[in-house]
Amino acid sequence: MKTITLVLDEDAPVLDSDQDVHDLVLMLRGHVMQLGPAAHTMTGPLAEALSAAQDLSAREMPAEYVQARAHLRKLAATVQALLAEMRAAGVLCAHHPECPSAEASDGQAAQVRVHRPEAGWSVLCNGMLLFDDTGCLRPDGVIVKPSRPLPSAQEAPQAVSR
């Protein structure tokens, strides 16, 4: 995640202002909010990592610059730990490069997690339910129409009668 890299990478530029620190804290808080629903039913280390990230992101950011930077680094490390636990639990993509999100235009390019050819569907790494006709159902409930045309009645094979 780029936000974590901006905060924790040793080669990242030093943040110049309080506003930069504030903006990155808000971005990390947003990430925690987005990740929460994916992990809310989990238990064990994943639940602990989510709780730690939510607790830290809910804290008020210190007003003093050095303390705010320390808070930012701690929050980034906590979100990084949450992501690692989610990947280990199979909740998030662990592929490199990471699979596209379900909302992305190329969301159907994600790797297959569960393949059920006998039923005509697969579950992709990003949570999409992909059907054999290339239609799919996104995790947010949005239906994506098939991208390949269905054969017309004239093209359909005729049944052989005996």
Side-chain angles (χ1 to χ4, degrees):
M1 188 178 293
K2 292 178 184 177
T3 310
I4 293 172
T5 303
L6 279 172
V7 176
L8 298 178
D9 190 0
E10 292 179 12
D11 297 329
V14 175
L15 301 175
D16 293 331
S17 69
D18 291 338
Q19 188 61 47
D20 291 339
V21 173
H22 179 72
D23 290 346
L24 287 170
V25 166
L26 289 179
M27 290 173 73
L28 288 170
R29 285 178 178 166
H31 295 320
V32 171
M33 288 173 61
Q34 289 177 334
L35 294 171
H40 79 283
T41 60
M42 300 295 173
T43 59
L46 180 54
E48 292 169 15
L50 176 61
S51 179
Q54 289 173 330
D55 289 347
L56 194 56
S57 68
R59 289 186 193 162
E60 191 171 324
M61 191 173 80
E64 203 258 76
Y65 177 78
V66 174
Q67 292 174 339
R69 284 274 317 219
H71 175 75
L72 173 63
R73 288 187 59 80
K74 188 172 183 181
L75 179 59
T78 304
V79 173
Q80 186 176 46
L82 172 60
L83 289 171
E85 287 295 335
M86 291 179 82
R87 284 187 181 99
V91 177
L92 283 183
C93 178
H95 300 116
H96 297 285
E98 191 171 302
C99 292
S101 72
E103 294 78 23
S105 61
D106 62 344
Q108 292 182 8
Q111 293 194 29
V112 174
R113 277 186 144 167
V114 178
H115 184 57
R116 295 288 185 261
E118 71 282 0
W121 56 265
S122 298
V123 177
L124 304 181
C125 191
N126 59 13
M128 291 179 87
L129 181 60
L130 179 65
F131 299 99
D132 285 350
D133 68 354
T134 70
C136 60
L137 179 63
R138 291 189 345 203
D140 60 4
V142 172
I143 298 170
V144 179
K145 293 181 182 179
S147 59
R148 77 171 180 227
L150 296 174
S152 67
Q154 296 167 342
E155 297 171 3
Q158 300 296 320
V160 178
S161 58
R162 294 183 190 204

